[in-house]
Amino acid sequence: MISDVLRNLFTSGELVSGIGETFYMVCLATLFAYVIGLPLGLLLVTTDKKGVRPMPVLNTVLGIVVNILRSIPFLILAVMLIPFTRAIVGTSIGSTATIVPLVIGSAPFVARMVESSAKEVDPGIIEAAQSMGASTGQIIFKVLLPEAKPSLVVGAAITITTILGYSAMAGFVGGGGLGTIAVSYGYNRYQTDIMLLTVALLVVIVQLFQEIGMRLAKRIDRRIH
Amino acid sequence: MLQNTTEPGAEKPIIELQGLCKTFRTKAGEVRALENIDLAIQPGEIFGVIGLSGAGKSTLVRCINCLEAPTAGKVLLEGRDLVKLSKKELLEARRSIGMIFQGFHLLEQRTALKNVCFPLEIAGVKHEEAEARAKELLELVGLADRMESYPSQLSGGQKQRVAIARALATNPKVLLCDEATSALDPNTTRSILALLKSVNQQFGVTIVVITHEMKVIEQICHRVAVIDQSRIVELGTVQEVFIRPKSAIARELILPTGGQSKEIPLGRRCLRIVFDGNSSFEPVISGLTLACGVLVNILFADTKDIDGRAFGQMLIQLPDDDGAIESIQAYLDEHGIYHKEEGEYDF
């Protein structure tokens, strides 16, 4: 059962551009989320009381900020950030504008993912590096990051799928992409088939990213052969 | 408490610990891991530190390269106090102290070759130069054919060989071994210890060995410090400590204890006979039974070849006849064999 609306969606190219917008938002948001989240996560690990360079005050403050940002539901964060988004992008509607709340909403998540990946690195390896006279920077770039790489890749796959979920939610506040299509046709106009179709597409995209991430992580990991 | 008389010539110690203390603050209160440790390690020697787990030996070795900052005292490396160095100077100084661990601690995402290159990268050595040096070292430790293997593809013994090559990459003067053979089987342990010994002889690297196993000390160390409850309770050459252990803890480490000892009948008088050098090639026990006309029951025997000389000990059960005991002791004295009645020693 293919409704006329669905056919129109295809012929008008709305669905295809929706998929494109979703990829655009998700990829750029993931990139910027890592630009902020990766250093933040590494800072959380190194300043931890068991870290390479303990700084209890900074660590506690960072931890609290990350927790606050993580506890705000994404949709509410997106609404709260509207003035900020408008100031940066010039508008709060559309896929480019949605990147702003996506980045701010997911960067703390990325920080926690990076932190947990880096904490998986055997403390003994770090101690060995310290015994060789490695500086904090050398430990971060030559030990923590390379040793945690497979776990970081898995984390990135999880992050992408989370951001994808956020981007679909952003459909309610005019975020663009598949989310907007699902909301405007499925929710506002009760066209369930279109909603289901967009959901199916989202499922496929999630599977794709997750699978690629997992396979990549397995391929680069030198621990099991 | 320290005597350097055992070393030929009065060389300046390469490592000197003076009044070293380390206290850990935990939620349960202060834990004193090390109390007033004085120790001098001579250049070129293999120095053992033995103790039961929790005695403080791991903390002690970590104070030598300041991985643990001492609470008080001095850590002198060739006369320079590491505690007083700036962070940058300390990182520099650590390059002259290699370290290997019980858990190997190799970088899992790097090949054996790249692992050995690692300390050189840190020291800023050029890539080609580092690889050449790493190859040379892997050949030295007998892993020329495993250079491109990842740690997960290597056995425990091979991993420790890579770790040794890695620790030697920066040409350190000192090599610290923290329970380096405790995760290995007896045969692999022997071969790793033999490797350490040859490294010591070939390059004159001073080696500090931390262990809870007397057999490790026996096989490679020149001198040994016995650590118990955060203090050094005994220090001397391996022969001295092995033949005449003064502290209860040293005797416990040397003599069989645990499950084995429960089979030894309590309340009987026992005599510990220590063989050193030539005497273990003589038929001492046969001679003793013939000369004294008594039957002896051997409760425990462990003799081995150490450093080209034979060492060992035996625990024999004494007959109930005082006269016979005296004649046994006289026989042993006559043959210059150290013996000690272990009746008061609680197994």
Side-chain angles (χ1 to χ4, degrees):
Chain A
M1 186 203 80
I2 296 172
S3 68
D4 294 342
V5 191
L6 195 54
R7 199 169 296 126
N8 283 342
L9 263 179
F10 275 111
T11 48
S12 69
E14 202 176 332
L15 198 63
V16 176
S17 67
I19 296 170
E21 276 175 27
T22 295
F23 269 94
Y24 163 74
M25 280 190 296
V26 170
C27 291
L28 275 185
T30 307
L31 183 73
F32 289 125
Y34 267 89
V35 168
I36 300 170
L38 186 67
L40 196 60
L42 291 171
L43 205 56
L44 280 169
V45 180
T46 45
T47 60
D48 187 86
K49 64 175 183 292
K50 283 181 186 160
V52 195
R53 192 176 266 191
M55 295 183 198
V57 178
L58 179 65
N59 190 267
T60 310
V61 172
L62 282 179
I64 290 172
V65 170
V66 165
N67 286 345
I68 289 173
L69 279 171
R70 287 209 56 205
S71 43
I72 304 172
F74 177 71
L75 212 48
I76 293 169
L77 182 78
V79 174
M80 280 167 63
L81 285 173
I82 285 174
F84 180 66
T85 306
R86 206 171 277 150
I88 292 179
V89 189
T91 172
S92 67
I93 306 288
S95 46
T96 306
T98 307
I99 292 173
V100 175
L102 282 180
V103 170
I104 293 173
S106 56
F109 177 76
V110 171
R112 288 294 187 207
M113 292 299 265
V114 170
E115 184 191 16
S116 106
S117 291
K119 275 189 176 164
E120 279 171 34
V121 175
D122 181 358
I125 298 179
I126 296 162
E127 190 183 39
Q130 285 175 319
S131 80
M132 296 169 205
S135 64
T136 307
Q138 285 172 323
I139 287 170
I140 291 172
F141 291 105
K142 285 184 174 287
V143 182
L144 282 182
L145 285 174
E147 288 294 303
K149 202 160 67 183
S151 172
L152 286 169
V153 170
V154 172
I158 296 170
T159 303
I160 288 181
T161 55
T162 304
I163 292 178
L164 188 70
Y166 286 170
S167 82
M169 271 188 237
F172 275 102
V173 286
L178 288 174
T180 299
I181 294 173
V183 169
S184 58
Y185 290 88
Y187 182 74
N188 296 340
R189 297 183 213 169
Y190 302 106
Q191 281 163 338
T192 315
D193 52 348
I194 289 170
M195 192 171 70
L196 287 176
L197 179 75
T198 51
V199 169
L201 279 171
L202 286 170
V203 168
V204 170
I205 297 171
V206 166
Q207 289 287 346
L208 198 72
F209 280 128
Q210 194 66 35
E211 194 59 27
I212 291 172
M214 288 310 200
R215 281 184 187 210
L216 188 63
K218 211 171 164 187
R219 228 176 86 187
I220 60 170
D221 196 350
R222 302 303 178 182
R223 282 173 296 187
I224 326 126
H225 274 265
Chain B
M1 84 165 290
L2 187 88
Q3 295 113 36
N4 290 334
T5 48
T6 50
E7 286 300 309
E11 275 185 279
K12 268 200 87 175
I14 185 158
I15 299 166
E16 216 176 337
L17 306 179
Q18 293 178 353
L20 192 76
C21 297
K22 176 71 188 178
T23 308
F24 289 105
R25 281 200 190 84
T26 64
K27 278 174 193 154
E30 291 197 340
V31 179
R32 289 183 173 200
L34 295 174
E35 280 183 64
N36 218 2
I37 303 282
D38 289 308
L39 203 60
I41 297 167
Q42 301 304 323
E45 79 171 325
I46 304 183
F47 190 91
V49 177
I50 191 169
L52 300 173
S53 47
K57 53 193 192 305
S58 271
T59 309
L60 176 67
V61 74
R62 277 166 182 71
C63 282
I64 295 178
N65 57 6
C66 284
L67 279 178
E68 294 284 2
T71 314
K74 285 181 180 173
V75 179
L76 303 173
L77 177 72
E78 294 186 310
R80 202 157 70 125
D81 191 358
L82 297 186
V83 181
K84 290 210 180 84
L85 296 185
S86 72
K87 193 161 167 102
K88 199 169 164 246
E89 286 171 321
L90 178 63
L91 294 182
E92 200 88 24
R94 278 186 187 153
R95 284 173 201 158
S96 52
I97 311 173
M99 189 170 184
I100 58 172
F101 306 84
Q102 180 174 3
F104 321 124
H105 300 338
L106 298 178
L107 293 144
E108 303 277 343
Q109 307 291 348
R110 280 177 176 237
T111 60
L113 184 69
K114 294 287 176 194
N115 259 288
V116 182
C117 285
F118 183 71
L120 297 165
E121 277 174 36
I122 282 175
V125 175
K126 277 203 210 91
H127 181 75
E128 296 80 26
E129 223 172 286
E131 280 214 342
R133 170 88 181 130
K135 279 181 184 158
E136 196 180 293
L137 281 161
L138 282 169
E139 272 162 31
L140 174 86
V141 299
L143 288 176
D145 53 338
R146 302 309 302 266
M147 291 190 190
E148 294 306 320
S149 301
Y150 287 91
S152 65
Q153 299 165 313
L154 300 172
S155 70
Q158 289 172 326
K159 283 185 206 175
Q160 198 60 290
R161 282 169 188 273
V162 176
I164 290 169
R166 185 174 69 170
L168 294 175
T170 48
N171 273 319
K173 295 181 184 114
V174 179
L175 179 62
L176 307 175
C177 309
D178 183 24
E179 296 276 8
T181 56
S182 299
L184 304 172
D185 63 62
N187 281 335
T188 314
T189 295
R190 258 192 295 281
S191 74
I192 291 293
L193 292 178
L195 175 63
L196 289 175
K197 198 171 194 168
S198 86
V199 162
N200 167 261
Q201 284 165 351
Q202 270 189 57
F203 307 111
V205 178
T206 308
I207 300 183
V208 181
V209 175
I210 301 292
T211 185
H212 64 275
E213 293 173 305
M214 196 61 198
K215 65 172 195 283
V216 171
I217 302 284
E218 285 167 28
Q219 199 182 329
I220 60 167
C221 294
H222 303 127
R223 288 197 303 150
V224 61
V226 182
I227 186 166
D228 183 37
Q229 292 176 356
S230 318
R231 290 169 188 278
I232 289 177
V233 292
E234 199 163 340
L235 185 123
T237 66
V238 173
Q239 281 98 321
E240 277 167 15
V241 175
F242 188 71
I243 295 169
R244 293 181 191 83
K246 294 183 202 84
S247 59
I249 195 78
R251 301 210 305 180
E252 193 180 317
L253 287 161
I254 290 162
L255 286 166
T257 52
Q260 206 181 352
S261 67
K262 289 197 179 75
E263 290 157 25
I264 295 173
L266 288 165
R268 301 274 182 92
R269 295 172 69 181
C270 300
L271 192 71
R272 187 163 78 97
I273 303 173
V274 179
F275 302 100
D276 59 337
N278 305 331
S279 64
S280 89
F281 296 113
E282 292 165 18
V284 173
I285 299 300
S286 299
L288 185 142
T289 52
L290 286 175
C292 307
V294 290
L295 296 174
V296 296
N297 183 20
I298 299 171
L299 297 170
F300 168 83
D302 183 21
T303 55
K304 66 205 94 187
D305 187 71
I306 302 163
D307 217 357
R309 295 176 74 198
F311 284 93
Q313 58 179 333
M314 218 176 250
L315 201 63
I316 62 168
Q317 191 181 335
L318 293 171
D320 287 332
D321 173 3
D322 283 347
I325 292 173
E326 269 170 39
S327 70
I328 288 173
Q329 287 170 337
Y331 177 87
L332 292 171
D333 285 339
E334 190 186 318
H335 287 77
I337 295 163
Y338 176 79
H339 59 88
K340 189 168 194 306
E341 203 179 321
E342 296 290 353
E344 85 280 10
Y345 186 74
D346 183 24
F347 273 102

